[in-house]
Amino acid sequence: MTRPEDLLHPTPAGLYCPPGDFYVDPVRPVDRAVITHGHADHARAGHGAVLATRQTLAIMAERYGVDFTAQPQSVEYGEATAINGVDLRLVPAGHVLGSAQVEVRWKGLTMVVSGDYKRRRDPTCASFEPVPCHVFISEATFGLPVFSHPPAEEEVGRLVRSLGQFPDRAHLVGAYALGKAQRIIRLLREAGWDRTIYVHGAMERLNALYEREGVDLGPLAPTRDLPKNALGGEVAIAPPSAIQDRWARRFADPVTAFASGWMGVKARARQRGVELPLVVSDHADWNELTATFTELKPEEIWITHGREEGLLRWAEINGQKARALRLVGYDEEDEEALDVRPD
């Protein structure tokens, strides 16, 4: 019988498939990579060949330049393909535009690399689809029971109410440039906010890409040409680090907000000086993680990049076999590295 380790196992470069001779989300340049999504800690430039969804390839080209790989290969969701005799499918992960789980099948064994995922509705990307498998490889970014995210719509509703309560103050929302910013914009539109939303220059190209992919963001305008002390009662969205930088000084007495699952930790909000923490995450919380394990009932759960110990204990109590991979180089905070450029 084929062992899971024969099909996929961790290496310093990332999760490696020996029979297919490819890596999933490698953390250093390799000859052949399969990329789950476009965030900087999963999608790096310099690989010889890259297989991903069309949207993820477009995101990588936007961020790294069109020559980010010598051999891009676009695969649609659900499309069957193979690398060196190993069968592959990309299935929606619900994380950001183009994000995918990687279903890997070989000699009767099916393993699913989920990448980053969430189970909640997101108007900017395809929803997570559960895939039956023998081994499910899961992130654990919010893998502790304390992480139970409120509905994102309610958090954005708090932002809208604050805009009404403080009509003379600009509201600066820190949000990662890929995925989170566009999701906040769409949720604002769904909440009835039809006015122009102002955006930091680091977000303009990705916003345009989302628009080309059919995500209607409504009227947007850059912040770069605004006079000092502008935007009373308006919304501006910027990378999280920008709201603590010189960029924010052009706004008089702004309300600072930050949209992140980490805003459920009050100490983190205080540390960043965030007046309006918005608990909006593009990662699965504890309940979503454990519900996914219960739904899939795989023979094994492999847990990576996050808080593995709580989920390992949950699996033990619930009679599911689990192990920690302890892959390094994946972190939501790493996304800021590509977010900030002059505005």
Side-chain angles (χ1 to χ4, degrees):
M1 183 176 179
T2 306
R3 300 181 308 159
E5 294 82 359
D6 296 331
L7 181 55
L8 286 170
H9 66 257
T11 73
L15 201 58
Y16 179 58
C17 175
D21 191 23
F22 64 83
Y23 292 81
V24 179
D25 291 350
V27 298
R28 61 183 64 168
V30 299
D31 289 338
R32 188 180 299 275
V34 178
I35 303 298
T36 61
H37 66 281
H39 276 148
D41 56 335
H42 290 255
R44 292 166 165 85
H47 307 308
V50 171
L51 183 148
T53 64
R54 176 179 54 80
Q55 295 93 337
T56 293
L57 292 175
I59 289 166
M60 294 181 73
E62 197 65 66
R63 305 190 100 176
Y64 300 122
V66 294
D67 58 350
F68 70 91
T69 179
Q71 187 180 340
Q73 180 182 352
S74 172
V75 178
E76 296 298 319
Y77 287 134
E79 178 184 348
T81 188
I83 299 177
N84 297 327
V86 175
D87 294 322
L88 295 178
R89 272 197 325 140
L90 301 185
V91 182
H95 181 55
V96 297
L97 181 70
S99 62
Q101 305 170 79
V102 183
E103 180 193 57
V104 184
R105 292 184 290 114
W106 184 65
K107 292 187 176 181
L109 177 66
T110 300
M111 302 179 71
V112 170
V113 184
S114 63
D116 289 338
Y117 67 98
K118 67 176 179 291
R119 302 298 303 266
R120 303 181 185 214
R121 172 186 173 272
D122 183 336
T124 69
C125 68
S127 298
F128 178 95
E129 294 182 10
V131 179
C133 55
H134 300 98
V135 179
F136 183 68
I137 302 175
S138 176
E139 64 149 307
T141 303
F142 293 105
L144 289 173
V146 67
F147 293 114
S148 179
H149 304 320
E153 293 79 3
E154 292 182 5
E155 295 297 281
V156 171
R158 294 176 54 235
L159 172 59
V160 173
R161 288 194 296 275
S162 181
L163 284 158
Q165 292 166 351
F166 302 102
D168 297 326
R169 301 176 68 189
H171 283 59
L172 311 184
V173 182
Y176 297 118
L178 171 58
K180 188 68 63 62
Q182 296 78 24
R183 186 181 178 200
I184 292 296
I185 291 169
R186 273 304 313 158
L187 290 173
L188 276 167
R189 299 308 186 197
E190 292 181 355
W193 189 263
D194 57 4
R195 292 154 67 170
T196 297
I197 294 174
Y198 296 84
V199 295
H200 189 281
M203 299 178 170
E204 292 181 55
R205 292 190 300 171
L206 287 173
N207 287 342
L209 189 154
Y210 268 70
E211 291 269 9
R212 293 195 298 271
E213 290 294 331
V215 180
D216 182 10
L217 300 177
L220 304 176
T223 60
R224 69 174 69 88
D225 299 324
L226 288 170
K228 193 172 182 180
N229 299 336
L231 295 190
E234 305 292 348
V235 179
I237 300 181
S241 57
I243 64 173
Q244 298 174 308
D245 195 19
R246 287 181 300 173
W247 175 86
R249 296 176 191 169
R250 71 186 72 182
F251 307 106
D253 190 26
V255 175
T256 57
F258 181 20
S260 169
W262 296 113
M263 290 298 95
V265 181
K266 293 180 180 180
R268 288 216 178 193
R270 287 195 300 269
Q271 182 182 30
R272 285 179 172 265
V274 175
E275 183 175 347
L276 181 63
L278 303 174
V279 186
V280 180
S281 177
D282 286 331
H283 295 263
D285 67 7
W286 172 266
N287 295 320
E288 293 170 82
L289 292 165
T290 56
T292 301
F293 301 163
T294 300
E295 178 181 6
L296 294 177
K297 293 183 171 61
E299 293 177 6
E300 290 189 43
I301 303 165
W302 291 3
I303 303 168
T304 183
H305 59 281
R307 285 137 190 84
E308 300 102 335
E309 292 78 8
L311 289 172
L312 290 172
R313 178 60 178 159
W314 179 93
E316 180 184 5
I317 291 171
N318 288 274
Q320 289 193 304
K321 185 177 180 182
R323 57 174 285 200
L325 292 189
R326 295 186 173 86
L327 294 172
V328 298
Y330 305 98
D331 189 343
E332 184 186 31
E333 300 291 346
D334 289 349
E335 179 58 14
E336 283 196 65
L338 281 182
D339 271 350
V340 181
R341 57 176 71 99
D343 182 40

